[in-house]
Amino acid sequence: MQRITLLCVGKLKEKFYAEAVAEYAKRLSRYCKLEIVELAEERLPEAPSPAQVERALLKEAEAVRRKIPPSSRLIALCVEGRLRSSEELARTMAAWASGAEQGLEKRLVFLIGGSFGLHESLKAEAWAKLSMSPMTFPHHLARVMLLEQIYRAYQINGGTKYHK
């Protein structure tokens, strides 16, 4: 069974987001071993300076690196990432998971940053970068959207009627 880790900077506080995440985690349990890891977002003042944001992102990046399992493929969600249709994501996830070029199955680790995004070094280290949309969404909503798209990818790859 494929292993997927969703690594998130910031904790869900809103009940409706938590309920949606729990629903998709339940649905995904038939298709993969899903692990959701939440890391604390660095506290910043109301109007942080660019230097304060940079220091906070660097600290978050260090915490993220400690949580990335060995033999993982890190997929960073960021605006610079590649836009993919649901069908393309399904095909790509199957290819990413197969590890065919190395003969090994790899854990997929999807990384969602906090309010200020991800440190540039994490984006540079990522095996792939994925963009959900050119629009801006709250990072908590991005978590729900990503889990739905992962679930949809399994449905597409399984030939079910979920994806129309």
Side-chain angles (χ1 to χ4, degrees), residues 7-159:
L7 192 50
C8 308
V9 177
K11 299 192 183 286
L12 283 183
K13 297 173 188 139
E14 297 88 350
K15 183 180 178 184
F16 58 92
Y17 286 141
E19 289 172 347
V21 166
E23 175 62 26
Y24 284 109
K26 183 176 108 185
R27 291 181 186 192
L28 283 165
S29 68
R30 294 179 25 202
Y31 303 99
C32 67
K33 290 185 180 187
L34 176 68
E35 177 185 23
I36 299 174
V37 178
E38 292 183 328
L39 299 171
E41 190 170 7
E42 289 296 311
R43 293 186 187 268
L44 286 167
E46 185 67 30
S49 70
Q52 289 172 313
V53 170
E54 175 68 17
R55 280 192 300 274
L57 290 177
L58 187 57
K59 284 183 83 173
E60 290 171 359
E62 291 166 0
V64 163
R65 285 185 188 96
R66 288 190 295 269
K67 294 295 184 180
I68 298 173
S71 298
S72 295
R73 291 193 169 170
L74 180 65
I75 299 109
L77 272 73
C78 54
V79 295
E80 307 90 342
R82 183 166 167 209
L83 290 168
R84 300 180 195 280
S85 68
S86 296
E87 295 88 352
E88 186 180 4
L89 180 62
R91 287 189 303 271
T92 304
M93 277 186 58
W96 284 345
S98 73
E101 71 277 3
Q102 297 173 350
L104 300 170
E105 183 178 352
K106 299 285 185 180
R107 176 191 301 256
L108 300 180
V109 177
F110 290 90
L111 174 60
I112 299 175
S115 300
F116 288 93
L118 297 169
H119 192 266
E120 289 301 320
S121 65
L122 276 176
K123 294 180 205 178
E125 293 166 18
W127 186 77
K129 292 184 279 260
L130 177 65
S131 175
M132 298 291 287
S133 168
M135 293 186 278
T136 302
F137 296 101
H139 59 282
H140 298 316
L141 179 57
R143 187 183 310 192
V144 175
M145 292 168 59
L146 176 61
L147 287 172
E148 192 282 335
Q149 284 299 298
I150 292 170
Y151 177 71
R152 183 176 297 271
Y154 281 110
Q155 296 302 302
I156 291 169
N157 289 336

